[in-house]
């Protein structure tokens, strides 16, 4: 009698036929419990669930514990670990060379707010298509926990040293400078961060996400405003976010007047159920108001803070040819002699 071997259990794959495993990277070398590790997990899940092709992604970073984290997700993607604070210019170059890439940048509050602030400022005003994540722990984790420019005035180091300088609010700065997608979340808030990351991937333009990401080794004590317990107790979510990707034919039922529906560039939809009635994330002045008021109360406004879905991104403004510049042949980039002669004749 013939015996049949039991069928192998079917592996779960996403819409492009890949398993979650294929979105993972190397084993983390960060401290156990570091917020940055949770953010890597959320990036893995968001890219898997969105069916992002890892071969189309370029991961970019600067220097810091946060900037090491691209090694721990999307192991088969392109990657460039740049110099401290210089990720924006490397990212700009990469996207100019190949505008078909999906750029995911990971920086730290020190990498962005201190040495990299000049580069950050110009990235925000250019609206380059990039998901720019700041893993914000209020300190320089890699160099043993000194205050960074996002540390709040009056917060203390473990040693008791008090920070007497006001913080830079990277979200307010990004809104002010022209970023078209600005959000804040917490590494411990799976649901919110996941929805924000998916929406950021769908956005065509700069998506700046400040993720409060506690450093368990140097900045998780009482007196810190970037500790797990402080952020958990002082987060003020603006809305509940539901993200429906373009490939899912789902409509969300909601009571009229309670939920705002926002169409993303790629046809995906965001359903924002407001928790603060007056809040409209499409209004720049409102965004700055809410950031100022929550900061004054010692709280963090979280969620989608500002969105401008239709502004032209940097590459569109440059009117680039469709074919990635990096793939153009010599013949395509070198004008024929007749073109040069024509120009010379005009100058005579
Ligand atoms: C040009 C330069 N200056 C200073 C340093 C030292 N340095 C390395 S990482 C870092 C700060 C990292 O802080 P952050 O970006 O907040 O990352 P975290 O480690 O907190 O995740 C500094 C000052 C360096 N590597 N290069
Ligand atoms: S030192 Fe802090 S930021 Fe660096 S890996 Fe450890 S917990 Fe994370
Ligand atoms: Mg830091």
């Amino acid at each position: 009698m013939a015996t049949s071997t039991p069928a192998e259990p079917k592996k779960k794959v996403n819409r492009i036929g890949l398993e979650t495993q294929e979105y993972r990277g190397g084993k983390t070398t960060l401290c156990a419990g570091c917020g940055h590790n949770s953010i890597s997990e959320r990036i893995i899940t968001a890219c898997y669930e969105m069916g992002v092709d890892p071969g189309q992604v370029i991961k970019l970073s600067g220097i810091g514990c946060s900037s090491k984290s691209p090694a721990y997700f999307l192991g088969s993607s392109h990657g460039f670990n740049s110099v401290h604070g210089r990720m924006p210019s490397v990212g700009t170059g990469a996207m100019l060379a190949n505008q078909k890439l999906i750029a995911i940048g990971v920086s730290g509050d020190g990498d962005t707010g201190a040495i990299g602030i000049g580069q950050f400022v110009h990235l925000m005003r250019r609206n380059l298509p990039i998901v720019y994540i700041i893993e914000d722990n209020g300190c320089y984790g890699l160099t043993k926990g000194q205050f960074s420019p996002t540390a709040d005035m009056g917060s203390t180091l473990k040693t008791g040293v008090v920070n007497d300088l006001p913080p830079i609010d990277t979200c307010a700065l990004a809104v002010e400078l022209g970023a078209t997608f600005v959000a804040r979340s917490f590494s411990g808030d799976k649901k919110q961060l996941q929805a924000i990351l998916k929406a950021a991937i769908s956005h065509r333009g700069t998506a700046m996400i400040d993720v409060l990401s506690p450093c368990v080794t140097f900045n998780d004590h009482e007196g810190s405003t970037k500790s797990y317990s402080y952020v958990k107790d002082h987060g003020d979510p603006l809305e509940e976010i539901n993200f429906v990707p373009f490939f899912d034919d789902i409509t969300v039922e909601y009571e009229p007047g309670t939920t705002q529906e926002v169409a993303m560039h790629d046809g995906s939809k965001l359903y924002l159920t407001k928790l603060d009635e007056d809040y409209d994330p499409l209004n720049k002045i409102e965004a700055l108001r809410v950031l100022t008021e929550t900061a004054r109360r010692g709280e963090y406004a979280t969620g989608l803070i500002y969105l401008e879905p239709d502004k032209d991104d940097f590459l569109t403004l440059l009117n680039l040819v469709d074919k990635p510049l990096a793939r153009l042949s010599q013949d395509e980039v070198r004008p024929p002699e007749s073109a040069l002669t024509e120009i010379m004749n005009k100058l005579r």
Side-chain angles (χ1 to χ4, degrees):
M1 205 169 68
T3 52
S4 60
T5 45
E8 287 241 333
K10 255 194 164 174
K11 290 192 172 141
K12 208 172 158 218
V13 294
N14 65 4
R15 70 185 181 103
I16 61 162
L18 299 180
E19 293 170 44
T20 324
Q21 197 50 32
E22 290 166 273
Y23 289 82
R24 299 204 161 273
K27 193 173 177 323
T28 181
T29 57
L30 302 181
C31 307
C34 175
H36 303 350
N37 285 329
S38 314
I39 301 172
S40 297
E41 287 300 318
R42 300 291 81 74
I43 296 172
I44 290 166
T45 311
C47 290
Y48 167 78
E49 289 182 1
M50 289 289 285
V52 169
D53 173 5
Q56 211 195 329
V57 172
I58 177 156
K59 306 174 289 179
L60 298 142
S61 63
I63 299 290
C65 298
S66 34
S67 293
K68 283 168 71 179
S69 61
Y72 316 131
F73 59 83
L74 302 186
S76 58
S77 297
H78 307 280
F80 200 117
N81 184 202
S82 79
V83 185
H84 201 13
R86 269 52 169 190
M87 179 253 279
S89 49
V90 175
T92 307
M95 291 307 284
L96 279 173
N98 186 350
Q99 82 265 35
K100 309 273 184 225
L101 292 172
I102 298 169
I104 302 182
V106 179
S107 180
D109 41 304
D111 191 67
T112 287
I115 197 167
I117 193 78
Q119 297 232 342
F120 175 72
V121 161
H122 292 285
L123 183 74
M124 293 303 117
R125 61 188 273 273
R126 285 184 176 151
N127 199 26
L128 183 82
I130 183 170
V131 178
Y132 188 100
I133 299 165
I134 303 176
E135 299 189 339
D136 185 358
N137 52 19
C139 71
Y140 299 160
L142 191 73
T143 54
K144 300 208 179 302
Q146 303 87 344
F147 287 126
S148 81
T150 67
D152 288 304
M153 196 147 78
S155 66
T156 57
L157 291 180
K158 264 178 164 177
T159 53
V161 175
V162 180
N163 180 32
D164 46 17
L165 288 173
I168 292 176
D169 184 337
T170 50
C171 287
L173 198 56
V175 172
E176 172 65 31
L177 289 165
T180 46
F181 180 115
V182 179
R184 175 166 278 141
S185 192
F186 170 38
S187 62
D189 188 339
K190 262 191 191 180
K191 189 168 174 273
Q192 185 193 56
L193 181 54
Q194 205 69 62
I196 289 174
L197 282 170
K198 288 182 187 171
I201 292 167
S202 297
H203 180 66
R204 185 81 191 166
T206 302
M208 205 298 285
I209 315 171
D210 181 58
V211 189
L212 298 157
S213 176
C215 168
V216 283
T217 304
F218 297 111
N219 205 9
D220 198 30
H221 49 274
E222 204 170 317
S224 160
T225 56
K226 297 282 195 283
S227 65
Y228 275 108
S229 62
Y230 188 93
V231 177
K232 230 165 129 216
D233 293 346
H234 294 81
D236 186 5
L238 296 167
E239 69 275 286
E240 250 169 46
I241 309 177
N242 246 315
F243 176 83
V244 179
F246 65 92
F247 51 84
D248 271 357
D249 198 14
I250 301 170
T251 25
V252 173
E253 298 281 330
Y254 53 83
E255 286 282 310
T258 58
T259 298
Q260 189 173 8
E261 182 184 311
V262 186
M264 303 298 292
H265 179 269
D266 65 355
S268 301
K269 290 219 172 108
L270 273 181
Y271 295 92
L272 305 172
T273 306
K274 295 176 197 185
L275 300 175
D276 174 344
E277 269 176 37
D278 298 332
Y279 195 62
D280 177 8
L282 303 178
N283 181 331
K284 195 168 186 169
I285 307 290
E286 272 290 282
L288 292 170
R289 173 191 70 80
V290 114
L291 286 168
T292 314
E293 286 178 2
T294 42
R296 205 175 281 151
R297 295 197 299 267
E299 292 174 359
Y300 294 111
T302 67
L304 181 62
I305 291 166
Y306 181 61
L307 180 67
E308 194 176 342
D310 299 323
K311 189 172 158 188
D312 277 351
D313 67 82
F314 189 53
L315 304 177
T316 309
L317 284 176
L318 291 178
N319 201 17
L320 295 179
V321 286
D322 228 29
K323 191 168 172 184
L325 301 188
R327 301 222 179 104
L328 292 175
S329 65
Q330 280 285 340
D331 288 346
E332 287 167 302
V333 289
R334 183 181 296 155
E337 200 176 336
S338 57
L340 193 62
T341 311
E342 198 186 321
I343 294 169
M344 291 309 284
N345 284 340
K346 277 190 198 154
L347 296 173
R348 272 181 222 276

